Amino acid sequence: MYRSHNCGELRETHQQAEVTLSGWVQTVRDKGFVVWADLRDRYGITQLIFDEERSSKEIMEIAKSLGREFVIQVKGTVIERTSKNPNIPTGNVEVLVSEIKILNKSLVPPFTIEDQTDGGEDIRMKFRYLDIRRNPVKNNLIFRHKVAIEVRKYLSDQGFIEVETPYLIKSTPEGARDFVVPSRMNEGQFYALPQSPQTFKQLLMVGGMDKYFQIVKCFRDEDLRADRQPEFTQIDCEMAFVEQEDILNVFEGLTRHLLQEIKGVSIDKFPRMTYDDAMKKYGNDKPDIRFGMEFGELNPIAQHKDFGIFNEAELVVGIAIPGGAAYTRKEIDALVDWVRRPQIGAKGMVYAKYNDDGSFKSSVDKFYDQEDLAKWAEATGAKTGDLICVLSGDTNKTRTQLSALRMEIAQRLGLRKKDEFAPLWVIDFPLLELDEETGHYHAMHHPFTSPKPGQLELLDTDPGAVKANAYDLVLNGNEIGGGSIRIHDKQMQSTMFRHLGFSPEEAKAQFGFLMDAFQYGAPPHGGLAFGLDRLVAILGGQETIRDFIAFPKNNSGRDVMIDAPARIDDLQLKELHLKLDL
């Protein structure tokens, strides 16, 4: 038996007990006649004591040879600590060691295995197995486990069945690039790793499973950032014989359950907002509604005044920064520089201070009088003491730029509180998006999304106006889940493929298996997929999903720990009938 107790378990009630512990040496303090060592495992830390009066010469020699991260086993007696440590649960006791065995020595680790480490991200990624020993990473993985367990509990109680779907599938166009896998037994042919189990969960509905879920890996070969990984995890769900309202109710319930069980937070209302309103009020389709600063469109009151920049703009729009009238000219200039950065792309920013005495002072006083600026304040909801910031230009770009400014200001003002949760349903998305480069429409979600009832005919006359029977669940400015009511009729699906530019032959080659299934009694169905990584990060109060993944990739999609991806040898290439042309 390597241990009778773990390193976070011993208390004063265990005094005089004979125990066996195993773990890693956290630190060693050698005072000559006495040696203390902190022994760590997943559960906590226990202090060990060796002294010349009560420990043998052999044990003292071993204790003095211990280094950081040595793996050891000790036996001894639990005694009261003379100098107690209130910062750890085991801080009132220590173990007087009577036997010690070094199970494995360790090199000096490349960074300290402590909560506040001296290791940068690159070195910690390379030695991720050491990083996992640190409490912040370990606790994040345990937290993720707790969330996953609660998801399974809730969905199982709601009658959902967990079904696994294949990882080696057929390449189908779903918006991002596929990762492809060559087949040795089928020369010149390739599998693809699934971007999502979309078609399989629809086939499960055709198969009569009625309520399906799966916590599943998905794969997309796309550019990466802090909140994106080439392999990520979804809570994938589908239901038969449902309408949009049924799905929203079920997954509001799941979100409430997680917030209550994981965070102790009770949420009553999940507001709903149309996509059009979200874009108009917040400039993006996943607005953070924990704070205000809604957009105020100023075209009717800011144009036709001799200010050419506004007159030539498709959209003039502003927000009011609480307390911003107190900003110095230097602070305002810094905001102007911030929106001009290439990442934001604005050409400049107009501002107006709403002074405490009710007067206004703006950067365009030459063109707008006090009455005009009062109308700006009314449109943006500004109060005395606020600063009105105004951007103008192309509608979509300007909204995106002002949205970025809104989020930056909220971060600076401390309005994005990690212990406050504000869920929101965004509904009525456009069914199709126009690709400005090609002039062709593509599906905003995926090609199996159903249009809103009664709007199918608009596909022929005004495709951009068709609304999707789709919905996203937003939490604190992040999309944590999205889904739709699916098309379950072969004729409607054929119509959708045609409008997306698929010939009948291409549609059959790509999705013939699904179209065939629809001929055998497909029920009305729909579903939703949560991004587990993002959901866990938000519940954990952090921004980066990488912190909640055991072995993540870096921003280049590389696993620097195992050095992947990597070349394969010539024999493997030959077996796979592949030739490199680099």
Side-chain angles (χ1 to χ4, degrees):
M1 181 173 65
Y2 279 103
R3 56 188 178 186
S4 61
H5 298 75
N6 64 55
C7 292
E9 189 174 351
L10 300 179
R11 302 290 188 272
E12 287 181 296
T13 55
H14 293 96
Q15 285 189 57
Q16 302 309 313
E18 296 295 318
V19 298
T20 302
L21 302 179
S22 293
W24 289 264
V25 175
Q26 175 86 8
T27 57
V28 178
R29 301 178 297 284
D30 185 351
K31 299 298 183 181
F33 63 91
V34 63
V35 176
W36 289 278
D38 286 341
L39 189 65
R40 182 193 72 243
D41 64 10
R42 174 189 134 189
Y43 306 95
I45 289 177
T46 295
Q47 180 170 283
L48 311 178
I49 183 171
F50 310 81
D51 70 56
E52 292 180 346
E53 292 184 3
R54 293 176 288 182
S55 302
S56 69
K57 182 178 180 181
E58 180 184 7
I59 287 177
M60 289 298 294
E61 288 178 355
I62 295 174
K64 290 174 179 290
S65 74
L66 295 176
R68 281 179 178 264
E69 302 308 308
F70 276 34
V71 184
I72 65 173
Q73 179 190 45
V74 298
K75 294 182 181 180
T77 305
V78 181
I79 61 174
E80 184 178 5
R81 277 178 71 159
T82 302
S83 179
K84 295 179 172 57
N85 182 355
N87 297 318
I88 58 173
T90 61
N92 289 341
V93 296
E94 60 190 358
V95 173
L96 176 61
V97 177
S98 57
E99 295 181 37
I100 181 171
K101 183 177 181 180
I102 296 178
L103 301 175
N104 217 327
K105 293 184 178 181
S106 172
L107 297 174
V108 176
F111 53 88
T112 54
I113 314 298
E114 295 175 357
D115 291 5
Q116 300 299 322
T117 183
D118 55 358
E121 186 176 32
D122 290 344
I123 194 72
R124 289 188 291 109
M125 289 275 282
K126 183 174 178 61
F127 295 92
R128 184 64 167 180
Y129 46 84
L130 297 179
D131 202 26
I132 290 173
R133 295 180 190 173
R134 296 174 51 244
N135 283 327
V137 181
K138 175 197 73 177
N139 291 337
N140 282 349
L141 296 181
I142 294 171
F143 183 81
R144 181 186 178 112
H145 161 76
K146 290 178 179 177
V147 173
I149 289 295
E150 291 301 330
V151 167
R152 285 190 162 97
K153 280 183 186 177
Y154 175 86
L155 292 174
S156 296
D157 288 345
Q158 294 291 317
F160 284 78
I161 304 299
E162 186 165 11
V163 183
E164 292 184 356
T165 54
Y167 279 165
L168 295 176
I169 67 167
K170 183 178 185 177
S171 181
T172 56
E174 291 191 37
R177 297 183 190 91
D178 286 327
F179 284 101
V180 295
V181 181
S183 172
R184 178 183 59 82
M185 294 182 289
N186 299 275
E187 183 177 349
Q189 296 183 321
F190 296 81
Y191 298 106
L193 300 180
Q195 296 183 32
S196 77
Q198 180 61 49
T199 54
F200 287 101
K201 64 183 179 183
Q202 291 191 252
L203 291 171
L204 286 169
M205 296 303 101
V206 177
M209 288 307 296
D210 191 69
K211 289 183 178 180
Y212 141 92
F213 88 97
Q214 184 182 188
I215 298 181
V216 60
K217 282 287 186 187
C218 301
F219 308 86
R220 293 178 186 172
D221 187 6
E222 55 189 354
D223 294 335
L224 305 180
R225 54 177 184 257
D227 62 345
R228 183 181 288 171
Q229 287 277 298
E231 50 182 329
F232 56 96
T233 305
Q234 284 186 350
I235 308 166
D236 198 53
C237 307
E238 197 79 3
M239 303 168 67
F241 301 110
V242 290
E243 296 177 336
Q244 177 176 295
E245 194 66 25
D246 301 306
I247 294 173
L248 268 54
N249 287 335
V250 167
F251 294 105
E252 277 188 23
L254 173 58
T255 310
R256 281 195 186 94
H257 176 80
L258 292 175
L259 287 168
Q260 183 64 57
E261 295 300 319
I262 300 295
K263 303 299 294 183
V265 172
S266 178
I267 300 287
D268 292 328
K269 294 184 179 180
F270 282 57
R272 298 182 186 184
M273 184 181 298
T274 66
Y275 170 87
D276 290 343
D277 281 346
M279 297 303 294
K280 185 174 182 178
K281 292 180 179 180
Y282 300 101
N284 68 66
D285 59 2
K286 47 182 185 295
D288 190 336
I289 59 170
R290 286 175 293 180
F291 56 94
M293 288 195 283
E294 289 188 12
F295 290 9
E297 295 193 356
L298 306 178
N299 289 48
I301 52 179
Q303 291 181 325
H304 317 298
K305 289 286 184 180
D306 296 333
F307 188 53
I309 292 175
F310 283 177
N311 291 343
E312 296 166 8
E314 186 178 2
L315 176 68
V316 182
V317 62
I319 56 171
I321 299 176
Y327 287 5
T328 64
R329 178 60 184 268
K330 184 178 180 181
E331 289 173 315
I332 295 174
D333 287 345
L335 284 182
V336 175
D337 291 340
W338 192 89
V339 300
R340 281 176 170 165
R341 296 182 311 148
Q343 302 95 313
I344 307 301
K347 293 181 179 179
M349 185 184 83
V350 169
Y351 69 88
K353 288 186 175 184
Y354 194 174
N355 298 315
D356 290 336
D357 62 4
S359 66
F360 294 90
K361 177 63 179 174
S362 83
S363 56
V364 286
D365 281 342
K366 179 180 178 181
F367 302 97
Y368 298 93
D369 59 25
Q370 295 289 298
E371 185 178 342
D372 294 325
L373 298 175
K375 292 178 181 178
W376 291 17
E378 183 180 0
T380 59
K383 299 178 175 60
T384 54
D386 290 352
L387 177 71
I388 303 169
C389 297
V390 182
L391 300 181
S392 62
D394 172 81
T395 295
N396 292 334
K397 288 181 180 178
T398 303
R399 284 174 172 170
T400 300
Q401 292 160 357
L402 191 60
S403 175
L405 177 62
R406 175 180 180 267
M407 296 295 279
E408 174 67 16
I409 293 298
Q411 190 70 34
R412 295 184 186 185
L413 295 178
L415 301 177
R416 303 189 68 196
K417 299 174 183 176
K418 65 181 183 180
D419 56 351
E420 184 178 336
F421 298 94
L424 169 73
W425 285 109
V426 178
I427 59 175
D428 295 351
F429 283 82
L431 183 67
L432 305 173
E433 281 184 305
L434 182 65
D435 187 321
E436 294 181 359
E437 291 186 7
T438 65
H440 297 304
Y441 283 99
H442 60 87
M444 177 171 266
H445 285 77
H446 53 66
F448 315 109
T449 299
S450 173
K452 281 282 188 181
Q455 295 200 1
L456 183 63
E457 293 75 13
L458 281 175
L459 281 173
D460 290 318
T461 58
D462 191 4
V466 181
K467 298 298 184 184
N469 211 343
Y471 33 82
D472 281 356
L473 182 55
V474 176
L475 185 62
N476 294 1
N478 295 275
E479 178 198 333
I480 61 168
S484 66
I485 299 297
R486 322 300 186 191
I487 297 171
H488 67 279
D489 175 77
K490 180 181 179 181
Q491 188 58 47
M492 183 185 289
Q493 188 65 73
S494 296
T495 301
M496 178 61 73
F497 285 146
R498 176 168 56 82
H499 281 282
L500 292 173
F502 289 90
S503 68
E505 294 74 23
E506 289 171 333
K508 183 172 179 57
Q510 295 281 358
F511 302 107
F513 62 95
L514 184 64
M515 304 288 277
D516 290 344
F518 283 177
Q519 298 178 106
Y520 291 93
H525 59 281
L528 179 142
F530 282 87
L532 179 64
D533 311 290
R534 169 55 52 200
L535 174 61
V536 170
I538 295 170
L539 293 176
Q542 298 186 38
E543 290 290 326
T544 307
I545 66 173
R546 192 181 294 163
D547 295 335
F548 293 86
I549 297 173
F551 300 103
K553 307 291 190 295
N554 67 12
N555 285 342
S556 298
R558 294 198 64 83
D559 186 327
V560 295
M561 182 184 68
I562 64 173
D563 194 23
R567 296 287 182 91
I568 60 176
D569 62 36
D570 290 341
L571 179 60
Q572 286 177 289
L573 288 171
K574 185 176 180 180
E575 286 181 335
L576 295 169
H577 314 289
L578 295 176
K579 182 180 290 187
L580 298 182
D581 182 16
L582 299 177

